[in-house]
Amino acid sequence: MSRLALTLLFYFLMMPTLPIMMWVLLNGAKPRKNVLLGVTLPYRARLEPEVEVLVRDYKRWVYISCAVAFVLSLGVFFFRRFSLVFTWLMLWLLLAIALPHLPYILYHRRLRALKRQNGWYAPAGGDDRPPVLLVDTKAAAQPVRVLGPGWFLPPFALSLVPVGIALFSRPPQFVNAVAFGVCALLVPMFYGLYRLIFRQRAEVVDEDSEVTVTLTNIRRRNWGRCWLASAWLTGVFNFCLWFFLHSALGFTILVCLYSALVLVAVMGAEFSTRNAQFRLTQQSGTGLFDDQDDYWIWGLFYYNPTDNHLMVNERVGNGMSMNLAKPSGKVLAGVVVALLLTIPLMCAWIIRDDFTPVTLHVSDTAIVASHPSKTYEIPLGEVEAVSLVEQKPQHVIKTNGTGLDTVSTGRFNVDGEAQQLCLNPQSLPFLRVETPEGVYLLGGNTGEETLAAYQALTQRLAAVS
Amino acid sequence: MVLSLDFHSETPIYTQIHDQIILGIAQGRLLPGERLPTIRALADQCGINMMTASKAYQLLAAEGHIQTGRRSGAVVCVPAGTGDLTREQRQALRLLASQARLAGLSQQQFLQFCAEAYASPKEASP
C-alpha cells in the first residue's frame, strides 16, 4: 500500500471522532432530564434569555474549536514518514477529544454560576444543601427481563474458532492465537457490560413514575441491543479475520467494516436514548425534580462518596461514568490516564525506531545486525550459506516485529518463507544468511554497508573453512 | 412514589426510608397491595448496603405496614388500625410535645400543627 493510501486510510479512520465529538457536545445544549450543559435547571430557568444567550455562545465556540481541530488534522499530509504520520494522528486524536470540551467546561461553569445567582434549585435543594437522592419505588419494583448468557455464547464460540485453528496448526501459531484470543475476550466483556445496566439506578427525573419507568426501559433496551450487536459483530469479525490474515487489503476492509458497524450500533443506541430523553422530559422541572449537580465535576466526572456504585449512568445518553470517590474508581481512572500517557510515549518510541538506522557489521566471531527494536548476533560457525538478494521480495508480511519505512525487524513471511529480518527495506541488496535455526535477511542502512558486510563475511567464512 | 434520601442528614438512611414509606402509605401515595422493590433492588437504587435496606423493611414489616417475601419483594399492607398508639409512639409524641412546649408554643398552636400533619393525604408533605 502506498504511503499516501496508508495516510488516507488512517486519516479517515480517525476523522469520525471529530463530528461525533461535535454532535455530542452540541447535543448537550438541548435540555434533557432537566440537564443543560451538565447543569440541572428548573423549567422556568430554561426559558430565561440569559440562558439562551449562553447556549448560543457555547454552540459558536464548539463550532470554532472543531474547525480548529479539523484544520490541524490536515497537517498529517505534510509528513512522509509513517512514524510522523502516526504520531500526528495520535496526538490529534487526543486534541480532537479534549479541545471541544474546553467550551463545554467553560459554559458549564458559567451556567452553574447563573444557577447559584438566581437560586434555580430543586425544591429540596439549595446552594448550601447537599443534593438529595430521588428513588422511584414503582420503577425500582419493575420486573427486570435480562437476556441469558446463551445469547452471547454463539458469537463467543465463533470467535474462538481461529484461536483453536492457530493453536492446532503445524507449527502452532502462538502469536496469532494470542491475538485472536484477546479479540475473543471482547465477547464476554460485552456480556458483562450488558448485565451492568440492570444494576444501575432507574432514570429518575421527577415525580412522574411513568416517565421514569419508560426512560429506564428505553435505556436498558438500547444499551442491551448495542452490546448484543457488538458481541455478534466481534464473533463474526474474529472468525472472518482468519481468512484475511495474509491479505493486507482484505484485512483492512474487514477492520474498517467491523469498526463502522460497531460505531453504527453504538451511535444508533445513543441517538435513540437521547431522543427519548428529550421528548419525554420537555415539560419536566416544574415540581420536585432530581438535581445531582454537586456530584458531577464540570458535569463530566462523577464524584459521590455516599454512593457505593462504582459505575453510574451518564446524566444523558446511554453511557456510564466511574465514581471517582471510590478507591477502585480512582485506581481505574489512574489506569485510564496511564494508558492515555502511553500514547505520546509510544509515538516517541516509533519515531526513535524510524529514525535510528539499522547497522550491519561482521566481527571475528559473528554477524551482528543491530537496531534498537531488535538485534541479531549470528555466530559464524552456525552460518550454512550466504547470498545477496538483489531484488525486493514480492510479498513481505510481518508476523511479529517492526515494519516502518526504513526499518524492518523481527519475524516476517517473505514470499511464503518464514524469515527473521533486520534491514532497511529501501536499501538493496539484502544479505540472506541460512542457519540451522532458520533464514535471516539482513542489511545495513545503505547498500554499500551491506556489500561491505557481505565481502567481510565471505572472507571470514573462507578463512574458517 | 419517590423517596428523597439525604445522605448528609444525621437521620440514618434506613430510618429515612422507613419514615417516608409510612408517610407515603398515610398520604395515599402508596396503596395497599402495591409492590415495593426487593431489598436488592432498593439497595441498588439507593446506592446503599443491602443490610440497610433490609433493616428498613424489617421495621416496616414488624409494624405491620408491609409484607415481605423472599423473592417477591415487599407489598404494602392494608392498614391494620388498632385504634391506639404503641408505647414507643406515645413516648415519641410525649417528647415532641415537650419540645414544642420548650420552644414556646401554646397548647393550641401545638394542636393546630398536629391537625395539619394529620390532614388529608394530598395536603400533607413529607
Side-chain angles (χ1 to χ4, degrees):
Chain A
M1 195 183 285
S2 70
R3 171 61 57 239
L4 180 62
L6 197 61
T7 303
L8 281 169
L9 176 67
F10 272 96
Y11 183 78
F12 285 111
L13 278 175
M14 302 282 192
M15 267 315 285
T17 309
L18 193 57
I20 289 170
M21 288 310 313
M22 192 170 82
W23 175 78
V24 168
L25 290 168
L26 288 176
N27 209 259
K30 272 172 134 176
R32 283 175 177 77
K33 298 165 63 180
N34 301 317
V35 176
L36 182 65
L37 298 184
V39 180
T40 308
L41 295 174
Y43 181 78
R44 67 181 195 283
R46 304 203 292 262
L47 305 174
E48 292 288 332
E50 319 166 81
V51 173
E52 287 179 4
V53 166
L54 201 139
V55 168
R56 204 170 48 238
D57 281 349
Y58 161 73
K59 284 182 182 175
R60 186 163 49 92
W61 278 106
V62 167
Y63 284 124
I64 290 171
S65 61
C66 289
V68 168
F70 173 71
V71 167
L72 287 172
S73 77
L74 298 174
V76 73
F77 295 105
F78 289 97
F79 299 111
R80 292 187 175 280
R81 295 274 198 127
F82 172 76
S83 60
L84 296 176
V85 166
F86 181 79
T87 299
W88 186 266
L89 283 175
M90 283 292 116
L91 296 180
W92 177 84
L93 187 64
L94 296 177
L95 183 82
I97 294 169
L99 187 61
H101 273 92
L102 293 180
Y104 180 88
I105 292 170
L106 179 66
Y107 282 88
H108 165 84
R109 290 167 62 97
R110 286 185 183 174
L111 191 54
R112 272 200 87 171
L114 204 59
K115 173 181 179 176
R116 220 174 287 125
Q117 196 181 309
N118 291 285
W120 290 332
Y121 293 100
D127 189 28
D128 57 345
R129 275 178 274 169
V132 294
L133 175 70
L134 299 187
V135 177
D136 191 309
T137 56
K138 183 177 177 183
Q142 290 287 304
V144 174
R145 289 180 199 85
V146 185
L147 292 178
W151 286 80
F152 290 79
L153 280 176
F156 186 48
L158 203 58
S159 65
L160 287 176
V161 167
V163 178
I165 295 174
L167 281 175
F168 292 105
S169 60
R170 291 284 175 269
Q173 298 175 31
F174 294 115
V175 173
N176 284 344
V178 167
F180 283 120
V182 166
C183 198
L185 284 176
L186 288 176
V187 179
M189 187 191 83
F190 290 147
Y191 177 64
L193 287 168
Y194 168 79
R195 291 297 302 251
L196 193 58
I197 191 64
F198 298 96
R199 298 292 304 271
Q200 300 305 307
R201 285 207 186 100
E203 300 277 282
V204 180
V205 179
D206 52 31
E207 294 172 292
D208 190 336
S209 285
E210 295 305 320
V211 169
T212 301
V213 167
T214 305
L215 285 178
T216 305
N217 288 340
I218 287 173
R219 190 192 194 113
R220 287 174 176 171
R221 183 193 65 200
N222 287 336
W223 179 269
R225 283 179 184 172
C226 168
W227 295 121
L228 184 62
S230 298
W232 276 91
L233 284 170
T234 303
V236 170
F237 165 74
N238 216 30
F239 178 77
C240 293
L241 201 57
W242 178 261
F243 301 100
F244 295 99
L245 262 187
H246 302 294
S247 164
L249 180 62
F251 180 87
T252 305
I253 291 172
L254 193 62
V255 168
C256 290
L257 193 60
Y258 168 71
S259 306
L261 289 173
V262 169
L263 189 63
V264 164
V266 169
M267 295 309 296
E270 186 72 12
F271 279 134
S272 177
T273 303
R274 283 183 178 236
N275 282 341
Q277 288 170 346
F278 174 71
R279 244 181 324 106
L280 295 174
T281 61
Q282 280 193 71
Q283 304 302 318
S284 177
T286 52
L288 179 69
F289 57 91
D290 191 46
D291 183 347
Q292 302 292 307
D293 284 0
D294 283 0
Y295 294 135
W296 288 87
I297 303 168
W298 297 333
L300 297 170
F301 306 110
Y302 187 64
Y303 188 96
N304 184 356
T306 64
D307 188 349
N308 68 358
H309 286 101
L310 171 61
M311 301 299 294
V312 298
N313 290 340
E314 286 281 2
R315 306 187 81 185
V316 294
N318 263 341
M320 283 198 171
S321 194
M322 278 184 298
N323 184 357
L324 297 177
K326 287 182 73 72
S328 46
K330 290 184 172 75
V331 167
L332 278 174
V335 167
V336 168
V337 169
L339 283 172
L340 287 173
L341 287 175
T342 60
I343 292 176
L345 289 175
M346 185 176 57
C347 292
W349 175 50
I350 290 176
I351 289 174
R352 181 207 64 170
D353 276 1
D354 198 14
F355 283 84
T356 304
V358 292
T359 59
L360 180 66
H361 72 273
V362 180
S363 69
D364 290 338
T365 55
I367 312 162
V368 181
S370 180
H371 185 263
S373 61
K374 195 78 182 176
T375 295
Y376 293 112
E377 192 169 336
I378 307 165
L380 293 180
E382 289 184 13
V383 176
E384 291 178 340
V386 172
S387 57
L388 277 180
V389 176
E390 303 280 359
Q391 285 185 340
K392 248 187 186 170
Q394 291 213 325
H395 301 289
V396 182
I397 300 166
K398 186 177 71 177
T399 307
N400 179 27
T402 301
L404 295 168
D405 293 329
T406 56
V407 174
S408 291
T409 63
R411 289 191 296 137
F412 287 70
N413 185 299
V414 181
D415 289 336
E417 183 184 30
Q419 296 182 8
Q420 307 224 41
L421 269 60
C422 183
L423 49 81
N424 178 347
Q426 294 182 11
S427 294
L428 285 164
F430 306 135
L431 186 65
R432 179 187 167 95
V433 178
E434 294 176 26
T435 72
E437 283 185 4
V439 175
Y440 294 83
L441 199 63
L442 309 173
N445 195 38
T446 61
E448 290 76 24
E449 193 179 337
T450 309
L451 284 170
Y454 175 67
Q455 281 167 5
L457 182 58
T458 46
Q459 283 171 6
R460 294 265 196 287
L461 290 174
V464 165
S465 61
Chain B
M1 131 178 207
V2 172
L3 303 173
S4 293
L5 302 178
D6 183 353
F7 283 81
H8 298 269
S9 165
E10 286 176 5
T11 309
I13 293 298
Y14 76 87
T15 304
Q16 292 185 46
I17 294 172
H18 165 270
D19 293 351
Q20 288 185 43
I21 288 178
I22 288 177
L23 279 167
I25 296 171
Q27 292 162 9
R29 290 183 290 141
L30 282 173
L31 300 171
E34 188 168 333
R35 197 169 289 284
L36 291 173
T38 59
I39 291 171
R40 177 189 281 273
L42 183 63
D44 278 345
Q45 294 298 310
C46 300
I48 58 176
N49 195 286
M50 275 176 58
M51 300 287 289
T52 307
S54 177
K55 196 166 180 181
Y57 274 14
Q58 279 170 11
L59 282 175
L60 289 163
E63 291 166 4
H65 299 300
I66 66 172
Q67 220 169 14
T68 54
R70 281 183 72 85
R71 286 185 182 181
S72 54
V75 176
V76 177
C77 293
V78 175
T82 59
D84 197 6
L85 295 175
T86 63
R87 190 163 148 266
E88 290 78 16
Q89 287 165 337
R90 282 173 184 274
Q91 277 178 342
L93 188 57
R94 212 170 274 124
L95 175 63
L96 188 61
S98 303
Q99 287 169 330
R101 185 198 279 254
L102 291 173
L105 266 69
S106 66
Q107 185 177 358
Q108 198 177 354
Q109 283 174 311
F110 179 66
L111 288 173
Q112 191 178 343
F113 277 128
C114 288
E116 284 170 11
Y118 197 87
S120 72
K122 295 292 181 288
E123 288 165 12
S125 58

